[in-house]
Amino acid sequence: MKIYTLTLSPAYDIHATVEQILPFGENLAHISTREAGGKGVNISRALHAVGVPNTALVVLGKENGDEFRAALQDLDCIYLECDGRIRENLTLHTPDHREMRISFPGFSVSATLLSQLSEQIRVADDTYITLTGRVPEGLAMDAVIDFLLTLKKQGAKIVVDSRSFSLSDLAKVSPWLIKPNQEEVSTYLGENITTLEQAAAAARKLAGFGIANTMVSLGSLGALLVHDGHLYHASSPDITPISTIGAGDSSIAGFLSVASEPPEIRLKTAVAFGSAACLVSGSLAPDPKVISEMLSQIKIRT
């Protein structure tokens, strides 16, 4: 199995603590961590933590990319550079575990980036390619879709988790896996999804666009998976999250780590990875021992 993660719009994730969040007022914050992140990078970290080989393709802004390289020395990375700065995300944490996120814009890229990426990817049997996070300025969505369809024709299994993709975009690509959360499903379908039953119906609708694995994360309600017409529900372990940053990315890593296993195992492992990621600060990789503990707590219903 070969896994490529694409991070076209990386970010420095800055985490700070505040006593309370005052809208339109002064908030005194103390920075706790500054991490090199991005959804694809988070997937690669989680896979690396459990010993699953993968290659991270990361686009860096020349102005502040050196710190990013240094932070990812443990990963197998291929870097592509562009002019400008890597964006920054600031997350404020309160003592009662609430979060507020502020995102700053980053670099724009040349339309030639996609051909540069293609040169670095070698599709063979059992190749998985994740495109997660936002599509940077400078890339037309039609070009991105054509890029993914070309890889798909070569035999790659495509994973998409990006708010840059509309429902019609997903329908054109028909990825092997998508992982929207409750809010994103509601946006895709123009419905207010609040119950497990509504989420199940929504997951089936999305699967109808030719998506092999439609996984919907629902927080404390667990997660759903529609595969080959069958619906699976995984319960959520009873945890008190430290941070939800990167949990969805870790769940994708969990799914990929057992990609050749039956769908119920993939879903269970995805929820275990995502739950374990909630028990570490920031976008740090989940602890393999905690993942094992989570697996024993998750129940699958069909």
Side-chain angles (χ1 to χ4, degrees):
M1 179 171 66
K2 181 65 176 178
I3 300 174
Y4 292 95
T5 67
L6 308 186
T7 304
L8 308 188
S9 185
Y12 288 107
D13 292 321
I14 304 167
H15 297 271
T17 57
V18 293
E19 286 301 315
Q20 58 180 327
I21 296 173
L22 301 174
F24 310 109
E26 183 177 1
N27 292 272
L28 179 61
H30 300 277
I31 294 178
S32 54
T33 60
R34 176 181 169 88
E35 302 163 351
K39 294 179 73 64
V41 167
N42 295 339
I43 294 171
S44 283
R45 276 202 187 103
L47 288 169
H48 178 76
V50 297
V52 177
N54 70 94
T55 300
L57 296 174
V58 186
V59 182
L60 298 182
K62 293 179 181 178
E63 293 181 20
N64 59 348
D66 289 346
E67 180 184 352
F68 216 92
R69 290 175 184 266
L72 302 185
Q73 288 181 352
D74 292 341
L75 303 182
D76 176 17
C77 294
I78 297 174
Y79 297 107
L80 294 85
E81 289 189 325
C82 67
D83 293 331
R85 294 179 58 81
I86 298 170
R87 63 192 176 93
E88 296 176 318
N89 292 327
L90 172 62
T91 304
L92 300 178
H93 302 267
T94 64
D96 59 355
H97 303 293
R98 291 183 299 162
E99 298 174 348
M100 183 174 76
R101 200 176 310 177
I102 301 171
S103 295
F104 299 94
F107 53 68
S108 61
V109 301
S110 166
T112 62
L113 174 64
L114 296 176
S115 61
Q116 296 176 49
L117 287 169
S118 296
E119 293 173 0
Q120 302 297 334
I121 297 173
R122 299 291 180 267
V123 176
D125 292 340
D126 216 18
T127 297
Y128 299 82
I129 300 172
T130 73
L131 196 156
T132 55
R134 69 178 66 182
V135 172
E137 292 185 15
L139 291 184
M141 282 305 301
D142 285 346
V144 174
I145 291 168
D146 288 343
F147 165 73
L148 293 177
L149 288 176
T150 298
L151 293 171
K152 187 176 176 181
K153 288 177 182 177
Q154 294 172 8
K157 296 180 175 68
I158 305 298
V159 178
V160 174
D161 185 27
S162 169
R163 297 194 181 199
S164 296
F165 282 70
S166 66
L167 184 56
S168 62
D169 294 333
L170 290 178
K172 292 174 184 176
V173 176
S174 294
W176 180 78
L177 169 66
I178 63 171
K179 191 222 62 67
N181 58 28
Q182 189 170 335
E183 176 189 351
E184 290 164 339
V185 168
S186 297
T187 300
Y188 278 140
L189 299 179
E191 304 173 10
N192 185 22
I193 307 298
T194 60
T195 68
L196 189 61
E197 291 73 18
Q198 290 172 333
R204 289 189 181 278
K205 286 182 182 179
L206 291 176
F209 288 95
I211 298 166
N213 298 280
T214 300
M215 181 168 58
V216 179
S217 57
L218 300 168
S220 62
L221 293 177
L224 296 168
L225 173 67
V226 175
H227 171 80
D228 198 21
H230 299 286
L231 177 71
Y232 304 86
H233 173 246
S235 63
S236 178
D238 185 15
I239 61 172
T240 301
I242 294 174
S243 172
T244 58
I245 304 296
D249 309 323
S250 289
S251 69
I252 291 175
F255 199 95
L256 289 173
S257 72
V258 290
S260 61
E261 296 293 332
E264 58 268 31
I265 300 299
R266 284 182 255 159
L267 177 61
K268 186 175 184 179
T269 307
V271 174
F273 269 64
S275 300
C278 291
L279 298 178
V280 295
S281 62
S283 54
L284 297 176
D287 186 328
K289 292 182 179 179
V290 177
I291 293 172
S292 296
E293 294 172 3
M294 296 294 102
L295 281 169
S296 66
Q297 299 179 35
I298 298 167
K299 307 298 182 185
I300 299 291
R301 290 188 304 156
T302 58

